[in-house]
């Protein structure tokens, strides 16, 4: 007997649940591509993306997924043969670096752990050894969606500054923008990128890049530039140039609604909501872990991401994820990369509220009970206690 029928819940770290308001905003006829509606839509989105990235720099919007955003950011500031340093903390910075290698960069990976954040001291030490300043850029993710690690971007910036190193700091915010604080200008991030389908609650297909003045100067020297991604072309006032062709109108109408929702709630409140829901997930997980079959992938509590929790399983994680999907209608994240077959992920990212997260946690706890997997009981009760403590009426 299954109790899966009802509204299906996505608890995967992207694509995330799309708000009805976003879906409805997309249900409309196509517009003439240089109409005032589309010109205004482009202008307001590029301006509001600055507010989301917290930058006075330039923002760019591409018809692409996150990988496209990676390529867009690399081509615009690098030249073939440039040395770059990739900070490992799971899968995603490595993937970005692999792309850079494919494009002709000389890529070095600063070794890291799948279970811990980037160590700023190790970065500072490496940069100090680069006496000739050959490293042109440092690539890192804010949240690694595979490992569930959150990196301390201001500490990474400080390590670069303490080494008096001129490298560009490039940050992937795909799994963190709209889920936790990101302060591009205040933190001294030179290039930031993200995509539509995670914290920004919009269907996959849009990538965003933000660049500060230092990055725009590097762009002048870059020789990896290609026409589709090129910032100079896209800074042209002509709409056709801004989008390098037909704008992805419907995704943009969806994004407009999503950003309106974020601003109506208030970015700080959005971050706080994610922090509370992550805390609830961790409260449940800390109970379950007492059974010694489930273990946090990220060892240090302060390095656990506010948008996704990665849980190691002794045994086959599919026993839990299959049960949650087939019996409860909850789709949990499977593990990827080095953790394939060894872990699962609970996303608490984007358009999520208390009942949605409690529903995901409830499905996991049902699976643990039904499948006789040793675990500490009362995980969902602990999550409820955490939420009832942190959430308030009228706030
Ligand atoms: C999802 C994700 C990506 C890749 O995005 P795609 O749209 O799948 O190309 C990149 N970086 C991080 C941190 C992600 O979570």
């Amino acid at each position: 007997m299954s109790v899966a029928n009802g509204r299906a819940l996505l608890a995967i770290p992207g694509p995330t649940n799309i708000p009805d308001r976003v879906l409805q905003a997309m249900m409309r006829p196509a517009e003439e591509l240089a109409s005032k509606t589309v010109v205004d839509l482009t202008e307001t989105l590029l301006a509001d993306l600055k507010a989301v990235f917290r930058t006075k720099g330039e923002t760019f919007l591409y018809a692409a997924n996150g990988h496209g955003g990676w390529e867009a950011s690399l081509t615009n500031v690098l030249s073939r043969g440039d040395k770059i340093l990739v900070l490992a903390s799971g899968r995603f910075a490595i993937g970005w670096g692999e792309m850079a290698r494919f494009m002709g960069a000389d890529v070095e990976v600063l070794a890291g752990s799948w279970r811990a954040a980037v160590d700023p001291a190790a970065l500072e030490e490496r940069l100090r050894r680069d006496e000739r300043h050959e490293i042109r850029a440092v690539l890192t993710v804010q949240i690694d969606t595979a490992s569930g690690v959150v990196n301390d971007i201001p500490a990474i910036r400080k390590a670069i500054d303490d080494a008096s190193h001129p490298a560009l700091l490039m940050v992937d915010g795909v799994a963190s923008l709209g889920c936790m604080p990101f302060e591009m200008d205040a933190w001294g991030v030179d290039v930031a990128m993200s995509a539509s389908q995670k914290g920004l609650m919009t269907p996959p297909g849009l990538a965003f890049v933000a660049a500060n003045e230092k990055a725009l100067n590097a762009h002048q020297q870059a020789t990896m530039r290609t026409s589709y991604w090129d910032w100079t072309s896209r800074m042209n006032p002509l709409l056709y140039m801004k989008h390098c062709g037909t704008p992805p109108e419907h995704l943009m109408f969806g994004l407009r609604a999503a950003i309106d929702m974020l601003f109506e709630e208030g970015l700080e409140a959005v971050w706080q909501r994610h922090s509370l829901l992550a805390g609830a997930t961790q409260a449940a997980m800390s109970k379950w872990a007492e059974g010694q079959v489930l273990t946090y992938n990220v060892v240090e509590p302060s390095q656990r991401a506010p948008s996704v929790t990665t849980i190691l399983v002794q045994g086959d994680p599919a026993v839990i994820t299959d049960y949650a999907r087939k019996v409860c209608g909850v789709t949990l994240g499977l593990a990827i990369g080095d953790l394939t077959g060894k872990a699962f992920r609970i996303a608490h990212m984007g358009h999520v509220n208390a009942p949605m997260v409690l529903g995901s946690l409830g499905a996991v706890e049902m699976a643990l009970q039904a499948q006789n997997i040793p675990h500490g009981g009362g995980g969902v009760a602990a999550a409820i206690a955490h939420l009832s403590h942190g959430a308030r009426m009228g706030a």
Side-chain angles (χ1 to χ4, degrees):
M1 180 63 208
S2 158
V3 285
N5 284 338
R7 185 148 196 155
L9 266 190
L10 262 192
I12 58 173
T16 60
N17 297 284
I18 304 170
D20 292 347
R21 188 166 152 192
V22 171
L23 291 171
Q24 281 154 10
M26 298 174 65
M27 286 279 280
R28 52 180 294 163
E31 289 279 340
E32 200 279 312
L33 59 84
S35 64
K36 183 170 182 332
T37 307
V38 179
V39 169
D40 291 350
L41 179 63
T42 301
E43 255 173 38
T44 65
L45 285 178
L46 290 175
D48 288 346
L49 282 168
K50 294 185 188 189
V52 174
F53 279 109
R54 304 271 184 138
T55 183
K56 292 190 163 56
E58 285 291 331
T59 43
F60 303 92
L61 180 154
Y62 297 95
N65 63 10
H67 282 69
W70 278 351
E71 186 160 322
S73 56
L74 296 168
T75 57
N76 272 292
V77 296
L78 297 180
S79 300
R80 290 182 79 80
D82 274 358
K83 189 170 179 66
I84 66 169
L85 184 64
V86 169
L87 311 183
S89 61
R91 180 73 201 100
F92 282 88
I94 302 285
W96 197 6
E98 284 164 354
M99 183 175 257
R101 182 174 288 129
F102 194 110
M103 293 161 63
D106 172 9
V107 180
E108 177 180 327
V109 176
L110 184 74
S113 160
W114 265 74
R115 303 196 62 187
V118 168
D119 174 11
L123 170 61
E124 183 182 338
E125 187 277 329
R126 177 64 191 91
L127 292 178
R128 279 187 191 281
R129 279 195 287 117
D130 181 31
E131 283 166 12
R132 289 191 294 166
H133 291 170
E134 284 171 341
I135 296 170
R136 300 297 300 257
V138 171
L139 269 56
T140 187
V141 290
Q142 187 174 25
I143 288 177
D144 187 285
T145 326
S147 62
V149 160
V150 58
N151 286 311
D152 184 343
I153 303 301
I156 288 171
R157 171 81 260 171
K158 184 169 182 301
I160 299 172
D161 291 346
D162 287 352
S164 305
H165 200 289
L168 292 171
L169 173 57
M170 302 178 67
V171 179
D172 169 330
V174 179
S176 55
L177 199 70
C179 305
M180 65 173 293
F182 185 78
E183 301 280 355
M184 176 157 171
D185 289 356
W187 292 353
V189 173
D190 300 305
V191 179
M193 56 73 57
S194 194
S196 50
Q197 79 274 21
K198 297 188 185 175
L200 300 186
M201 311 183 291
T202 303
L206 293 178
F208 318 113
V209 178
N212 70 6
E213 205 177 313
K214 185 172 167 186
L216 291 168
N217 287 335
H219 171 71
Q220 299 303 324
Q221 268 81 57
T223 62
M224 262 188 202
R225 287 162 59 175
T226 59
S227 116
Y228 183 72
W229 308 114
D230 193 63
W231 290 345
T232 300
S233 310
R234 284 173 181 259
M235 283 189 278
N236 190 303
L238 283 176
L239 195 79
Y240 197 73
M241 297 290 285
K242 263 195 194 330
H243 291 283
C244 194
T246 307
E249 298 179 348
H250 286 79
L251 288 171
M252 290 162 61
F253 285 121
L255 180 68
R256 182 65 269 158
I259 292 183
D260 288 346
M261 289 175 70
L262 292 177
F263 288 175
E264 284 163 21
E265 183 176 354
L267 272 184
E268 281 80 1
V270 171
W271 301 336
Q272 187 58 33
R273 171 166 55 83
H274 279 85
S275 164
L276 258 175
L277 294 171
T281 306
Q282 291 160 7
M285 172 52 199
S286 295
K287 284 283 178 195
W288 301 332
E290 291 168 6
Q292 306 203 344
V293 172
L294 302 191
T295 315
Y296 282 109
N297 180 54
V298 180
V299 178
E300 168 61 39
S302 66
Q303 298 176 358
R304 291 176 191 149
S307 61
V308 59
T309 300
T310 302
I311 298 171
L312 301 172
V313 183
Q314 234 177 72
D316 185 3
V319 173
I320 298 167
T321 54
D322 284 352
Y323 181 97
R325 191 179 69 259
K326 290 181 186 155
V327 181
C328 304
V330 173
T331 305
L332 299 163
L334 301 175
I336 57 173
D338 289 6
L339 297 182
T340 303
K342 298 179 191 159
F344 71 97
R345 297 177 292 168
I346 305 174
H348 24 88
M349 177 190 289
H351 189 55
V352 281
N353 60 16
M356 292 163 88
V357 170
L358 290 172
S360 304
L361 300 175
V364 173
E365 199 159 312
M366 268 174 76
L368 295 172
Q369 285 187 25
Q371 309 284 43
N372 292 315
I373 298 168
H375 66 284
V380 172
I384 290 171
H386 181 86
L387 288 175
S388 63
H389 192 75
R392 291 277 175 281
M393 294 270 286

